[in-house]
Amino acid sequence: MAEVFIMPRLGQSMEEGTIVQWYKREGDAVRKGESLLEVMTDKANIDVEANDDSVLRRILAAADQTLPVNAPIAILGTANEPIDHLLANASAETDMQAASASMSTSTAPRSNDPTTNRSNDPTTQPIFSPRARRLAEEHRIPAAALAGCGTGPGGRIIERDVMNYVERQNTLGGQAGSPQSIASATENRGPRATPLAAKMAGDLGIDLGDLALGLPGSRIMAEDVRRRVQDAPGAPEPAVAPMIPQQGDGPRVAETIPLRGLKKMVAENVTRSRQTAPHVTLNCEVDMTEAAGLFEKLRPEIQKTYNTKLTYTDLLIKAAARALADHPLCNAALIGDEIRVYADKNIGVAVATETSLIVPVLKNADRKPLGEMSGELKELVERCRAGKQSPDDLAGGTFTVTNLGAFGIDTFDPILVPPQSCILGVGRIADKAIVINKQVAVRSIMSLSLSFDHRVLDGAPAARFLQRLREILESPVLIFV
């Protein structure tokens, strides 16, 4: 029996999902447990499996669409049964959700919340996605400033729209939420267009202003651009795909890599981090000679007892968790107008995959025996590299460690994982000649780079954390105190 397939809830905090790609086409048979589509949440990219053997009769939401949980996205059933009633119900459900979202936005109490304050334009009631709302709050952007900018379904304002607004204001040199910036944005805001329509118009040299209908809430669609080209005398059929430059027009393109899915999510996160958090990076060197000796003693015992191979990253995570207990502001996050200092030491570890970067989170690293923690981390990393991570694997981080020592890197400036206040960059361990008590000695030296959010803590407390971490690593028995 045919049924509507809805956007599933893939994590407790999930409110919406973006369809990255469909693995099946309309008319394809689908086996129970087979991957049907890939969905990007605010935590990870996840394959969604079919619940039963069926046929994908109709796709209701295309790739790159962002929809709320429980929104209709497809119809599954047998090959020939009628589905008109399901199509009608799905369309009605979509309209009802849009109306409900609009009503909840228009009836929300007025407050200092930048996404509910409509005083600047009482006739505009923009609808925000949850991620866009949070980002607007962080930048103190009133809803009126973003009215008409939405490129999401039904004109919904999504995270990309808020980031585009912030970039425009940075270019104009104004503050995002000021009355002047609102007026300027209103004056400078171009006609609303879908991303595909904007791209086609740019490729074909068509001014979107010539296509604007001037009607409230109207958007320029790809079909409007195609019609303009077709109506032009002697005009050729427009090419939707971007042209690859030929020899003589510029460098030849060897490969085109789409920025989508997890790679796109990472790109958006690091861009957001750099644009919103004032990064400061402190560097120091650590004498790892004693830690290296302890490491060699512990390694066989950990292998025998826990059946896992101890790494220096394990020691660093344990040492960092110990130092965070003494310097809690480094284990904090800025959420809206609050600095939240966390009791749990949940350490994220940057992991490079074939296509992107993932940061799985080791929960309560300070409370677990070193061997148990090491084994758990190995399992986390293996799941991520196999693309089988769960939303919970990537959630709840309070501090992050990223280690590039294996690549021969000495120092670097790591980018914060929003909304965390600190990230620790780890370089290689190398033998160096240093002076100790006026005598030259060869020691195993490692560099540490701590990037921190200057809105949360100043240079002195960050430096004290780094100093404490160095003390622990140079006297590694302190890790277990």
Side-chain angles (χ1 to χ4, degrees), residues 284-288 291-292 294-295 298 310-324 345-349 362 365-366 370 373-374 377-378 399-406 409-410 412 423-429 445-450 465-466 468-474 476 478-480:
C284 75
E285 289 188 338
V286 179
D287 186 345
M288 290 290 289
L294 178 63
F295 177 81
L298 288 174
L310 187 68
T311 68
Y312 277 104
T313 299
D314 299 329
L315 279 181
L316 286 162
I317 291 172
K318 202 67 177 172
R322 176 66 185 84
L324 288 173
K345 313 299 187 297
N346 298 340
I347 310 297
V349 182
L362 190 64
D366 57 325
L370 181 60
M373 188 200 76
S374 176
L377 179 59
K378 301 299 179 301
F399 184 93
T400 295
V401 174
T402 174
N403 190 343
L404 293 180
I409 301 300
D410 288 318
F412 58 104
I423 181 171
L424 181 69
V426 181
R428 63 171 178 160
I429 299 176
I445 304 298
M446 179 181 69
S447 60
L448 297 177
S449 303
L450 180 74
F465 166 80
L466 203 55
R468 179 57 174 161
L469 180 57
R470 179 169 57 187
E471 290 174 355
I472 292 171
L473 289 171
E474 292 184 346
L478 296 176
I479 293 174
F480 308 103

Side-chain angles (χ1 to χ4, degrees), residues 104 156 206 277 385:
S104 65
R156 196 179 195 205
I206 296 175
R385 287 182 174 157

Side-chain angles (χ1 to χ4, degrees), residues 323-340:
L324 288 173
D326 298 329
H327 300 277
L329 268 182
C330 293
N331 195 53
L334 180 62
I335 309 293
D337 291 331
E338 296 179 341
I339 296 175
R340 298 182 184 176

Side-chain angles (χ1 to χ4, degrees), residues 293-312:
L294 178 63
F295 177 81
E296 292 302 325
K297 293 178 181 177
L298 288 174
R299 197 170 192 179
E301 293 299 320
I302 295 291
Q303 178 73 45
K304 182 172 62 175
T305 305
Y306 293 94
N307 193 29
T308 186
K309 187 176 180 180
L310 187 68
T311 68
Y312 277 104

